[in-house]
Amino acid sequence: MKKAFAVALSLFLMVAIVAACGSNKNDAGNAANNSAATNNTAGDKADKKKIALVLPEKIGVNKFFVLMDEGFKKAGEEFGAEVKTIESTDPAGFEQNLRATVAEDYDLIITATFQAEDALKKVAAENPDKSFAVIDTVVDLPNVRSVNFREHEASYLMGALAGLATKTNIVGAVVAMDAPLLSKYTSGFEQGLKSTNPDAQFLINYVGSFTDPVKGKELALLQQSKGADFIAGMAAVGDNGVFEAAKEKGFFTSGQDTDRTEEDPEHIVLSQLKGTDAVAYETVKSFVDGTFAFGVADYGLKEDGVGLTFVTRDSTSTLSPFIGQENVDKVKTIAEDIKSGKIVVVNPLAQ
């Protein structure tokens, strides 16, 4: 009996030891797997790019910034980047926001327009190891990618169409500010106007800001009183005032950046287009996929960075009889000549 009991006890202890060893082995394996999963998660987080879009003003109803923000966020979602849009209320606040994104160690800091130039030059120069991008102007620093548009090419097309369409031989433009960048709009428009109608008179008035529709309306009414039957809106939010005046007085007008004809196709008969959404999207994409490069990237008619409704891009609106299909077809030929280099639109900033 004693011998049998001893044998049974020995067998029991052997089974217990084997089970314990198996349990320790499984526990160690599970721990290793858990550790690997934790490390992978940390790796994914470490590889995720942090990109900020720091704007020099509030987005508000400015289509230029609305589009840019949409393209920026779309790219962040599609390419797995951590993105954040920061709006500013004044120049001092804008510079502070730039410095904050540097301190928070964003991998890429994007901003936009000539309003950003002074602050960006300071902050980028002080942080040579940090990557920056600026849309719609040029900052010549080795750690800045500048995305530039050839707006004068699209403005040329609009001016050419206005010259063909006007019945009074007087056309105008209500412009945000008398600033170098905006001279590409007014100069391109005037070049196109004179190419199709050398005798046309061109009126220009400046609002003094990008956010004043009341002043925009006042200046549009002034130009209409002088006989202008087509008045181009080039005043950002101020264009809304131009549109209101056109509806009240029955003249024709145009918008910027997006297809504004949809808002009132009877009076807003054209829109000059600028792909700020596409450019913001491509900037994020290139940074994530490793093709991002510093220097100047240039977008014009040939690259489909700028354009004009009915000429380079279809519209959901019906073409206005004031513009006319025959005139559109003539300007389509002009657009192709610009793309091929047969017509060279002078950039006033390059002179």
Side-chain angles (χ1 to χ4, degrees), residues 156-169 171 189 192-198 200 229-230 311 321-332 334:
Y156 187 101
L157 300 182
M158 184 182 285
L161 253 182
L164 293 168
T166 179
K167 307 301 186 291
T168 63
N169 257 19
V171 301
F189 187 98
L193 176 68
K194 297 300 183 182
S195 74
T196 59
N197 191 342
D229 60 353
F230 179 86
V311 176
F322 173 77
I323 297 298
Q325 188 61 51
E326 184 180 350
N327 291 333
V328 166
D329 291 341
K330 290 177 182 177
V331 176
K332 281 183 177 181
I334 293 172

Side-chain angles (χ1 to χ4, degrees), residues 160-224:
L161 253 182
L164 293 168
T166 179
K167 307 301 186 291
T168 63
N169 257 19
I170 303 173
V171 301
V174 174
V175 187
M177 299 176 74
D178 188 5
L181 176 64
L182 298 183
S183 69
K184 292 202 288 184
Y185 291 82
T186 54
S187 173
F189 187 98
E190 187 166 19
Q191 290 176 61
L193 176 68
K194 297 300 183 182
S195 74
T196 59
N197 191 342
D199 298 324
Q201 183 182 355
F202 184 36
L203 308 176
I204 304 177
N205 290 98
Y206 297 97
V207 173
S209 82
F210 291 89
T211 58
D212 192 347
V214 174
K215 187 68 174 180
K217 180 177 180 179
E218 177 187 321
L219 295 176
L221 291 173
L222 174 65
Q223 292 183 358
Q224 188 267 340

Side-chain angles (χ1 to χ4, degrees), residues 77-96:
E77 184 177 345
E78 289 189 13
F79 302 109
E82 181 183 332
V83 297
K84 182 179 181 181
T85 300
I86 302 166
E87 302 171 62
S88 308
T89 55
D90 55 53
F94 171 65
E95 183 174 333
Q96 191 174 24

Side-chain angles (χ1 to χ4, degrees), residues 4-5 20 26 63 94 100 109 165 192 209 218 231 251 266 287 307 322 332:
F5 177 77
N26 288 338
K63 296 289 186 180
F94 171 65
I109 300 164
S209 82
E218 177 187 321
I231 301 172
F251 63 83
E266 186 178 347
F287 191 78
F322 173 77
K332 281 183 177 181

Side-chain angles (χ1 to χ4, degrees), residues 53-57 64-65 68 94 98 110-117 120 133-137 276:
L53 175 62
V54 185
L55 299 177
E57 62 179 68
F64 181 90
F65 290 125
M68 189 182 299
F94 171 65
L98 279 181
I110 306 172
T111 186
T113 78
F114 72 92
Q115 297 166 275
E117 286 181 17
L120 180 58
V134 61
I135 296 172
D136 205 33
T137 192
T276 58

